[in-house]
Amino acid sequence: MTPYRSALPTGDDGFPALLRAELTKLRTVPGWVMAGAVAAALIVGFALLASGGGHSRGGPPPRDADGTPVVDRFTFVHRPLPADGAVTVRVASLTAPDGPEPWAKAGLVVKAGTSPGAAYAAVMVTGAHGVRMQHDFVDDVAGPASARWLRLARAGDVVTASASTDGATWSTVGTTRLAGPAEIGLFVTTPPHETFDQFLGGTSASGHPVLATAVFDGLAATGVPASGWETLAVGAGDDPRALVGAAAWSGDTVTVTGAGDIAPAVEDGPGLEQTLVGGFVALTVMVILGVLFVTTEYRRGMLRTSLVASPRRGRVLAAKSVVIAAVTFAGGLVATAVALLAGKGIMGDAVHPVSALTQLRMVVGTAALLAIAAVFGVAVGTILRRGAGAVAAVVVLTTLPYILSVSAVLPVVSAQWVLRVTPAAAFAVQQTVREYPQVNAAYTPAFGFFPLPPWGGFAVLCAWTAAALAVAAVLLRRRDA
Amino acid sequence: MRAALHAEWTKLRTVSAPAWLVLAAAAATVALGALASRAVTCEPGCGLDATKISLTGLQLGQAVVAVLAVLAVGDEYRTGMIRTTLTAVPARSTLLAAKAAVVAGAVLAAGVVGVGGAMVAGRLILPGQGFAHLPATDGATLRAAVGSVLYLVLIALLSLGVATLVRDAATAVGAVLGLLYLLPILLMVVSDPDWQRRLRRLTPTEAGQAISHTVGVDTLPIGPWSGLGVLALWALAALLAGAALLHHRDA
């Protein structure tokens, strides 16, 4: 007698079939599908909510040619420079009442006009960072530390900055291009004295404006009209409380005072990452889904069926992770892209401009963050086998460090440490504002600055997830289901 | 009611998870508070709130307390025990009241140990960080300590109500933690300062944790006791909604 054989063809037991099975389990629970849809809707909804309403106080800051918001305020003792020419000067001293700020600046600048935001090239003595050549607001090149003689020369449209310790032997600090009629001359400026701290829900920026004083001598110029030097406080009209510098001549010596800065504006209006605040809600929803994806199988006994159908347990865990990650990533990508574009449209000019590449990183990064967090949920759910503890663990690990750091509950040093080692570091993928070494600003989590680079922070979450998956795989194999 | 209380107490006492969670809640409150105290330094006249720093651990302890309260209901639904329970105690409001009382008692114990330990830890650590005057028994400090214990109890009652509403432990924990942790983050992006202040008065965590401040209480969006009152209203609303649904749904 022949044993019974089913007439149905043997099912495929490869990994694709397993993926299909897990996808079917995921998409056939109406509550889960609805939760995912609600999460996506919340991402978009909070983007609309967060980007409406208030805008930055005061007028918009000046922008440079690329549209980067800049600070451009200094005392300018200048003459027109129609074509080629050069100016040489010695910075005899750079002082301020309480000592010069590290980034107080005194030196020579050639600028395409005197309106704030116009292109420039400058060589300067700084308070504590030696001689620098800076141009176009973001570029900063170090020169000899002890030099006090500065020269700025233009030939064709190439501007060459040189420095010297004795006025005889010169070394080139850097070159850049600046075409067309320009203004050339002496400048002095200094950022205000500021220190930053944060603790217990408060951020403190304590400081006061400073007026720096520089004494120049040995001034020599070629290629400029013979008429006298004019003094102008560039950009002083912005703020009535700002200190305004002046220039005083005494023979060959000129004493110039100035305040302000020539640098990229670091804190300026709302950041574009505000549009992605709904990602936190979505994160919580997706973590719950990830946990339930496993713990429901334990609860209903479904896991025993799953493991009979696919006895290699590691593959079941892998299939679950792949499915929930892929679904979350796809949905998250669409939702965050819509949220970002809609929020950007509403905020308009008020938002700090962000390059297209950064926007792409924010969208892809947030979607990936959601996907990996869901996998983290799967792994922790497998380890704990109970929903409540797993959800609490993942939500606390991802959002509590963020709250403690960003809402300034912890002091800066601890907050940065927390955002380096906890999964919350992954929110660095949403960071929009660059950190500039030549600008003294509050580079703290409360102002949206993460201690790790965007993908570095994301890697921290990936490491946590990989570790949790490894533990989950071992436990799933060892324990009875 | 006495019998229902006795039954709930037996259920809570005879599984290991609640005891561990009570311990974990107390330990988490003390540990995070001690870490925060270690992290901060105070120069003379820094004006930092030593009591508030000692009680930073509430942020973590509340999550453990929420899990404890949610499991009191959620585990009954997970195992099907709820049907036995409702057969034994058919008066469903009585059941929920008994559960609330027992959970509140357990969390009270966790809170007294956790908050007390955190205050002691703060008093031991903070003088070494530059804090000079640490009155142990002035009115504001006592109010912060007692209020923080009540805060944890109210968080537990809120979680119990939510768990009765959604009947699934994982979803309930997610909902409660979302309420506790996400609302403050979402409020950070409200750009109108007046609206932000108004909304912060209504948020369970922001309003409830006003009780743990002893410095600059006047500048808070809401006073300490009224803040705790807001949280109490949240807990009451959750419990009432839970009770209503418990009445009208099959178990």
Side-chain angles (χ1 to χ4, degrees):
Chain A
M1 190 178 154
T2 51
Y4 168 76
R5 288 270 185 270
S6 168
L8 293 170
T10 315
D12 179 12
D13 69 342
F15 195 63
L18 198 53
L19 285 180
R20 184 157 167 259
E22 292 300 335
L23 183 62
T24 309
K25 281 187 223 168
L26 185 67
R27 69 179 171 77
T28 49
V29 181
W32 294 357
V33 176
M34 204 183 327
V38 167
L42 283 174
I43 292 182
V44 178
F46 276 108
L48 302 181
L49 210 65
S51 45
H55 294 297
S56 57
R57 287 144 305 211
R63 308 256 165 135
D64 74 357
D66 308 332
T68 310
V70 295
V71 181
D72 200 6
R73 200 157 65 75
F74 57 98
T75 308
F76 194 14
V77 180
H78 64 102
R79 283 184 189 180
L81 179 71
D84 293 0
V87 178
T88 308
V89 79
R90 185 176 82 100
V91 182
S93 71
L94 171 61
T95 55
D98 300 319
E101 289 301 303
W103 284 107
K105 301 175 173 105
L108 299 169
V109 63
V110 55
K111 190 170 173 70
T114 55
S115 57
Y120 74 96
V123 59
M124 68 204 73
V125 170
T126 58
H129 298 278
V131 169
R132 318 291 288 200
M133 182 203 179
Q134 296 186 349
H135 54 96
D136 300 327
F137 298 97
V138 293
D139 296 297
D140 177 39
V141 183
S146 59
R148 283 296 172 269
W149 285 89
L150 305 173
R151 176 183 289 162
L152 203 56
R154 182 163 80 162
D157 56 2
V158 176
V159 177
T160 305
S162 322
S164 165
T165 46
D166 51 10
T169 49
W170 291 85
S171 60
T172 301
V173 182
T175 59
T176 184
R177 286 178 180 278
L178 186 79
E183 297 288 325
I184 193 166
L186 311 171
F187 82 99
V188 175
T189 190
T190 177
H193 179 80
E194 278 180 310
T195 51
F196 305 98
D197 202 2
Q198 61 170 60
F199 196 64
L200 291 175
T203 53
S204 68
S206 51
H208 52 86
V210 177
L211 199 62
T213 306
V215 179
F216 297 92
D217 55 23
L219 179 60
T222 59
V224 297
S227 60
W229 295 93
E230 285 177 50
T231 305
L232 176 72
V234 173
D238 301 356
D239 187 350
R241 293 162 304 167
L243 298 171
V244 178
W249 293 82
S250 159
D252 276 352
T253 308
V254 53
T255 304
V256 184
T257 58
D261 207 353
I262 310 175
V266 172
E267 297 146 46
D268 152 52
L272 197 57
E273 68 265 32
Q274 280 199 3
T275 58
L276 296 182
V277 70
F280 283 97
V281 185
L283 175 83
T284 309
V285 175
M286 292 322 297
V287 164
I288 297 175
L289 277 192
V291 167
L292 286 181
F293 198 29
V294 176
T295 57
T296 307
E297 293 217 15
Y298 276 105
R299 182 174 164 180
R300 309 278 182 212
M302 177 73 181
L303 191 67
R304 290 189 280 275
T305 313
S306 297
L307 292 182
V308 168
S310 175
R312 286 158 70 186
R313 298 185 171 186
R315 294 211 315 175
V316 176
L317 188 64
K320 276 194 184 299
S321 305
V322 168
V323 164
I324 198 142
V327 169
T328 310
F329 184 75
L333 206 57
V334 174
T336 46
V338 171
L340 192 78
L341 293 176
K344 210 171 69 146
I346 293 176
M347 287 207 244
D349 286 343
V351 74
H352 197 99
V354 171
S355 73
L357 210 61
T358 308
Q359 293 180 28
L360 188 68
R361 185 246 293 158
M362 290 168 76
V363 169
V364 174
T366 305
L369 187 162
L370 293 175
I372 299 296
V375 175
F376 193 35
V378 167
V380 177
T382 311
I383 295 171
L384 295 177
R385 293 189 283 190
R386 300 281 179 81
V391 169
V394 180
V395 172
V396 165
L397 277 172
T398 44
T399 56
L400 182 61
Y402 182 85
I403 294 179
L404 291 179
S405 314
V406 175
S407 69
V409 175
L410 291 175
V412 174
V413 179
S414 322
Q416 289 184 332
W417 184 78
V418 160
L419 286 181
R420 275 194 195 99
V421 300
T422 62
F427 288 105
V429 294
Q430 297 185 343
Q431 179 173 328
T432 56
V433 192
R434 255 183 70 187
E435 202 170 319
Y436 295 97
Q438 73 266 36
V439 182
N440 175 34
Y443 296 114
T444 63
F447 289 98
F449 290 95
F450 284 79
L452 291 178
W455 294 111
F458 183 71
V460 174
L461 174 64
C462 292
W464 277 81
T465 307
L469 272 178
V471 173
V474 170
L475 287 180
L476 188 64
R477 195 184 289 263
R478 292 244 178 103
R479 290 190 300 211
D480 293 335
Chain B
M1 181 71 188
R2 278 182 62 104
L5 272 177
H6 190 232
E8 288 304 325
W9 171 237
T10 308
K11 276 190 264 179
L12 198 72
R13 182 172 58 82
T14 52
V15 283
S16 59
W20 283 113
L21 287 169
V22 164
L23 274 180
T29 309
V30 177
L32 185 61
L35 282 177
S37 303
R38 287 288 301 172
V40 63
T41 49
C42 178
E43 287 151 21
C46 64
L48 289 178
D49 188 341
T51 307
K52 172 79 184 155
I53 296 165
S54 313
L55 293 174
T56 307
L58 281 184
Q59 294 274 9
L60 186 57
Q62 64 181 3
V64 185
V65 161
V67 173
L68 169 69
V70 162
L71 283 184
V73 178
D75 261 356
E76 294 223 11
Y77 279 100
R78 186 175 65 86
T79 56
M81 177 73 180
I82 188 72
R83 290 186 282 275
T84 313
T85 303
L86 288 177
T87 310
V89 188
R92 297 188 173 190
S93 301
T94 308
L95 172 71
L96 191 60
K99 270 200 186 299
V102 170
V103 166
V107 173
L108 195 66
V112 167
V113 175
V115 170
M119 296 295 282
V120 169
R123 258 60 193 162
L124 290 177
I125 295 169
L126 286 172
Q129 312 293 112
F131 286 83
H133 303 291
L134 294 176
T137 54
D138 69 337
T141 309
L142 276 179
R143 184 254 299 149
V146 172
S148 297
V149 176
L150 292 179
Y151 172 83
L152 289 177
V153 172
L154 289 173
I155 292 288
L157 293 179
L158 172 64
S159 312
L160 190 73
V162 172
T164 317
L165 273 173
V166 301
R167 295 190 287 188
D168 177 80
T171 315
V173 168
V176 171
L177 295 190
L179 204 61
L180 298 185
Y181 291 139
L182 296 189
L183 278 186
I185 296 181
L186 298 177
L187 282 190
M188 275 195 275
V189 302
V190 174
S191 36
D192 186 320
D194 293 331
W195 266 106
Q196 193 179 48
R197 215 173 151 78
R198 253 171 248 159
L199 290 173
R200 284 173 67 179
R201 266 180 229 153
L202 302 176
T203 322
T205 31
E206 300 258 346
Q209 287 180 6
I211 197 83
S212 60
H213 287 260
T214 58
V215 174
V217 177
D218 301 339
T219 62
L220 293 172
I222 192 163
W225 288 112
S226 32
L228 207 60
V230 169
L231 178 60
L233 286 179
W234 274 90
L236 187 68
L239 279 176
L240 287 179
L245 281 182
L246 189 63
H247 263 286
H248 291 106
R249 281 193 306 213
D250 293 334

